[in-house]
Amino acid sequence: MAEKTQSKASLYGLCFLVGGVYGVIGQVLGTMLEPVVGAQFAAPCTLLCLGVLAVLLYVPGVHQRIAAVSGFGSILPFNGFACGIADAFQAGYANGGGVSGGMRSVGKLFFHVIILSSVVNMLAGALAANVTLPKVAVPQAVPMPMAIVAGFVVAGLVCIAFQAVTDAGHFQIPNVLLVGQSLGGVLALFGITDVLAALGGYSFKILVMGAGQAVMATTALACGGNALMLLVTWGTFIALAIFGIVAALLNLRLGGEGR
């Protein structure tokens, strides 16, 4: 019993640590990119950079080894989504489907997590564009360098919360990601995810809930006549899926290290 308790303590500790570290990477990248590409495009560009990181970690098997001991600390940041796409591709490939089987597996995951949650978040965005709902007060964004510390804590705690819910309910990870991304947009209707974004900055925006918030907010903009950022958001999701497929293929070419 003591060993089992220690194992869970280790999982939660590493979940917090790894999720926090990825959050810090996101915060640093977002802060550096903002003066270059502008605040509007900084978050999508940060996610694309994390897609590159996903490939670099997945191909030699580093991500797989980290994910095995850190749970949602490696899953909830969107580089983890790209790696999840890679896992799905390899599962379909290994089950005798080859590349076409891998693509079907990727399509199922993308539909389940991204498309279904985006339907919810786009409905929330349309509602936000037409109805004024009561919202909690949103604090000022945490300035640098304290944003690094705040981002680490916020990202780590959100990852632990998802890990705890999954463990308690024995839920399937894709279902948890679907609900998590949907909640990102729905809770934004009441300002709750806006509070987390203000406290966590880019560290929160790179998480699945942050992506849901982005779909909701850009849909509200699209309802007002500006659809550009909604298209950028969707393009980012597709690009991350492509990064995942590339990572899977390169890993297979190298013999499936870390599997």
Side-chain angles (χ1 to χ4, degrees):
M1 180 67 71
E3 183 179 352
K4 185 176 181 180
T5 302
Q6 180 61 41
S7 176
K8 179 164 284 192
S10 175
L11 169 63
Y12 279 65
L14 288 170
C15 177
F16 177 81
L17 177 63
V18 172
V21 168
Y22 282 136
V24 168
I25 292 172
Q27 182 65 44
V28 171
L29 286 172
T31 303
M32 292 173 60
L33 287 167
E34 196 169 305
V36 177
V37 301
Q40 196 174 25
F41 294 100
C45 289
T46 299
L47 291 180
L48 293 177
C49 291
L50 290 177
V52 175
L53 177 63
V55 175
L56 294 176
L57 294 179
Y58 193 92
V59 172
V62 174
H63 164 82
Q64 294 89 317
R65 290 189 284 273
I66 296 174
V69 296
S70 62
F72 272 85
S74 293
I75 296 171
L76 214 58
F78 246 71
N79 52 297
F81 169 73
C83 292
I85 289 288
D87 286 339
F89 182 93
Q90 291 197 349
Y93 187 99
N95 287 335
V99 173
S100 61
M103 293 301 293
R104 285 193 297 271
S105 184
V106 165
K108 289 178 182 177
L109 180 63
F110 192 88
F111 177 82
H112 189 79
V113 175
I114 299 297
I115 294 180
L116 290 182
S117 67
S118 291
V119 169
V120 175
N121 291 325
M122 290 173 76
L123 288 172
L127 180 62
N130 293 282
V131 179
T132 301
L133 296 172
K135 292 188 176 184
V136 299
V138 178
Q140 292 289 323
V142 179
M144 292 289 282
M146 284 304 298
I148 299 289
V149 177
F152 177 87
V153 173
V154 168
L157 289 177
V158 172
C159 289
I160 282 183
F162 273 75
Q163 186 69 53
V165 169
T166 303
D167 289 345
H170 303 288
F171 300 119
Q172 295 293 315
I173 290 175
N175 292 334
V176 175
L177 294 178
L178 166 61
V179 173
Q181 187 151 331
S182 299
L183 280 175
V186 172
L187 294 178
L189 286 170
F190 308 99
I192 296 173
T193 43
D194 296 333
V195 172
L196 292 172
L199 296 174
Y202 291 102
S203 297
F204 177 76
K205 293 175 183 178
I206 68 163
L207 302 180
V208 164
M209 286 188 73
Q213 179 197 28
V215 174
M216 178 272 191
T218 55
T219 299
L221 288 175
C223 290
N226 181 8
L228 174 62
M229 292 312 300
L230 180 60
L231 294 174
V232 169
T233 301
W234 270 97
T236 303
F237 293 155
I238 294 170
L240 287 167
I242 294 172
F243 279 127
I245 294 167
V246 170
L249 289 169
L250 291 174
N251 179 263
L252 287 170
R253 187 175 180 85
L254 293 175
E257 281 83 349
R259 295 180 65 199

